[in-house]
Structure formats: C-alpha cells, structure tokens
Amino acid sequence: MSLIANSVTKIYDKGRPSEVKAVDNVSLTVNPGEIYLLMGPSGSGKTTLITILGGLLSATEGVVTVNGEDITKLKENKLPKFRLNNIGFIFQSFNLLSALTATENVAVPLIAKGVSRKKSLEQARSLLKILGLENRSNNKPADLSGGEKQRVAIARALITDPAVLLADEPTANLDSKNGHEVMMKLCGIACEQNKSVIIVSHDSRIKEIAHKVLWVEDGKLTKEEEGNHKKVCPHENLV
Ligand SMILES: Nc1ncnc2c1ncn2[C@@H]1O[C@H](COP(=O)(O)OP(=O)(O)OP(=O)(O)O)[C@@H](O)[C@H]1O
Ligand SMILES: [Mg+2]
C-alpha cells in the first residue's frame, strides 16, 4: 500500500502576524518498495511535511493516505495505534528516552504493541546487531555518540516492521563510512520489505539509493529528478 499526499498545506500561526505557510499544496505518491529523497534549503518545510505524512502533525488542508487509510480523518484516539502499526519515524533530533538503554529504547514500540518484554528486547538486540551496535546495546543515550544514537533511532523506527518509513536527516550525524552503511541498509530494507520510504536530507549521496528526488522550496515541490536506485541497489534483483 502506498503513501499518498493530496494537496497538503500547513499554515503555522494561522491568522496571526507570525503566520507561515510551511507546506504549500504538496501532492505525492510513494509506492511500496520506493525511496523518495526530499531536498531543499533550511526552512523550506521538509520536516513539517514529513511530520504531517507521519501523522504527528495535522495539516491545515489536504489529505494523507497511508495503507489506504486517510489519516487526516482518523480520530485522535485512533491515530497513535495506527502510527504504531504502520509508520516508522526517524526524528531529526533522535527523541530517545534518556533513562532507557539502547536496547530498551528500540524495544519500546514493540512492548507498546503488546509483544512480551522478553521477546521485544530480544528483537531489539538483534536489530541493533544488524546496525553494528552489538557492543553498545546496554548503554544509555548519554553514553552514545551522535552516530550511534542515530542508529538506535533507526532501529526503533524499524522494529515494528512498518509499511511506511520516514526519516529526517538519517545520516546527518554519521561519518561517511557509517553514513554509507546506513544508506545501503535503508536501501535494502525498502526493497526487500517493500516499504514506502521518504528520506529528508541535505546529503546528496542519498540520491544514489533514491528512486526519485524531490526539491522543496518555500513549502512547494519545485523540481523532480530520477534517482540512481536501480543502478546501485544490490537487492533490486531479489524482488
Ligand atoms: N511549530 C512551528 N511554529 C511556527 N513556525 C514553524 C514551526 N515549525 C516550523 N516553523 C516554520 O516553518 C518553516 C518550515 O520549517 P521546517 O522545520 O519544516 O523546515 P526544514 O525544511 O525542515 O528546515 P531544516 O532543513 O532547517 O530542518 C520555517 O519557516 C519554520 O520557521
Ligand atoms: Mg528539518
């Protein structure tokens, strides 16, 4: 099932002198197995747009459909459960819980879904291993580097196997080697697990793994370009 935005607009502080049109009439469709890269200057509305697509912020106008469900119409008490089951979100600022270890942070969404604590922690540990954090899994966020925290946040977004994965600057805190590894992991996950992925980034290397690159300026989609995904993805032939 796809991720579809139809004429989405977000106006902050509507009607006040500080009013800002952060997202302006954006429409897009990301099919399963596709990775879209959103690029654009600081303040152009990228975070606002994916936050709306992830059901974490309401749009002023427009419709967002995830897995066939119009999330703009979902009642507030239904939205958290829908998000938990369908959307993985990697925040620009990680949003890890400081009192919990890396493993516990990753396990939180599974525990919230009702999976036993033991099983959730086991799955969290194996996902952290895949992301190269085997030896850091008992550390709390304060004792992790920026790149390690980034990978914990990625694992937490993936643990529930969501159909839609949204990532805000997922490689911003990673050096080029780790950045490349994370990129290729996201690439493989999108293909093999048929996820609809949107990555917001200033990192033009992500064009390599994207099917499509969209430019955002002043809240509008202004340009579209093919990415290199088909050329580089080692998983492309597997699906
Ligand atoms: N909660 C808010 N209230 C009012 N204005 C906001 C709020 N959040 C963002 N804005 C404004 O909306 C516009 C878009 O911000 P947004 O954070 O979406 O940009 P961005 O493209 O993600 O930028 P960056 O690349 O710096 O992360 C900016 O002008 C910003 O100041
Ligand atoms: Mg941003």
Side-chain angles (χ1 to χ4, degrees):
M1 293 277 206
S2 317
L3 167 62
I4 303 167
N6 209 334
S7 306
V8 170
T9 293
K10 177 69 183 181
I11 303 171
Y12 288 115
D13 298 338
K14 200 169 182 211
R16 295 200 214 130
S18 56
E19 177 174 306
V20 179
K21 199 183 250 188
V23 174
D24 190 356
N25 199 23
V26 167
S27 298
L28 55 82
T29 298
V30 187
N31 292 311
E34 280 186 337
I35 303 176
Y36 274 42
L37 170 61
L38 274 184
M39 301 191 90
S42 181
S44 57
K46 306 178 298 296
T47 294
T48 304
L49 176 60
I50 63 162
T51 310
I52 292 170
L53 299 180
L56 292 160
L57 181 70
S58 58
T60 310
E61 277 171 53
V63 173
V64 177
T65 311
V66 176
N67 269 353
E69 183 90 47
D70 174 1
I71 63 168
T72 52
K73 296 259 160 41
L74 267 184
K75 294 226 163 60
E76 247 170 61
N77 59 350
K78 296 242 169 80
L79 198 51
K81 190 164 181 211
F82 183 83
R83 275 202 312 264
L84 192 60
N85 287 322
N86 296 281
I87 301 167
F89 203 100
I90 302 163
F91 295 90
Q92 196 165 11
S93 51
F94 317 129
N95 287 10
L96 298 175
L97 298 167
S98 59
L100 304 186
T101 65
T103 307
E104 289 165 344
N105 263 289
V106 175
V108 163
L110 269 193
I111 295 169
K113 273 185 87 168
V115 176
S116 77
R117 186 179 158 81
K118 186 165 174 274
K119 210 167 172 201
S120 301
L121 291 172
E122 262 168 36
Q123 280 196 40
R125 264 191 291 273
S126 59
L127 196 49
L128 284 173
K129 190 173 170 189
I130 293 172
L131 287 163
L133 285 176
E134 206 175 355
N135 300 323
R136 314 296 290 153
S137 56
N138 292 324
N139 286 78
K140 294 193 174 155
D143 301 328
L144 296 170
S145 72
E148 288 167 345
K149 280 189 269 217
Q150 191 85 288
R151 280 180 281 164
V152 174
I154 291 170
R156 183 184 53 187
L158 290 173
I159 190 118
T160 51
D161 189 23
V164 168
L165 183 64
L166 304 169
D168 202 353
E169 302 277 3
T171 58
N173 294 283
L174 302 174
D175 60 32
S176 64
K177 180 172 168 284
N178 278 319
H180 184 78
E181 269 174 28
V182 164
M183 222 169 71
M184 293 316 286
K185 288 228 159 79
L186 287 175
C187 183
I189 285 160
C191 271
E192 282 174 12
Q193 302 177 12
N194 232 17
K195 295 189 190 306
S196 305
V197 181
I198 297 186
I199 301 174
V200 166
S201 186
H202 292 104
D203 184 348
S204 57
R205 290 172 309 173
I206 293 182
K207 284 183 191 173
E208 285 295 305
I209 62 159
H211 292 81
K212 213 157 250 178
V213 186
L214 305 178
W215 267 267
V216 188
E217 274 171 63
D218 290 332
K220 295 188 189 73
L221 295 185
T222 52
K223 198 168 69 161
E224 191 177 306
E225 194 181 273
E226 292 300 310
N228 265 332
H229 179 90
K230 287 207 165 61
K231 287 187 208 137
V232 305
C233 184
H235 312 271
E236 188 67 28
N237 299 327
L238 300 176
V239 290

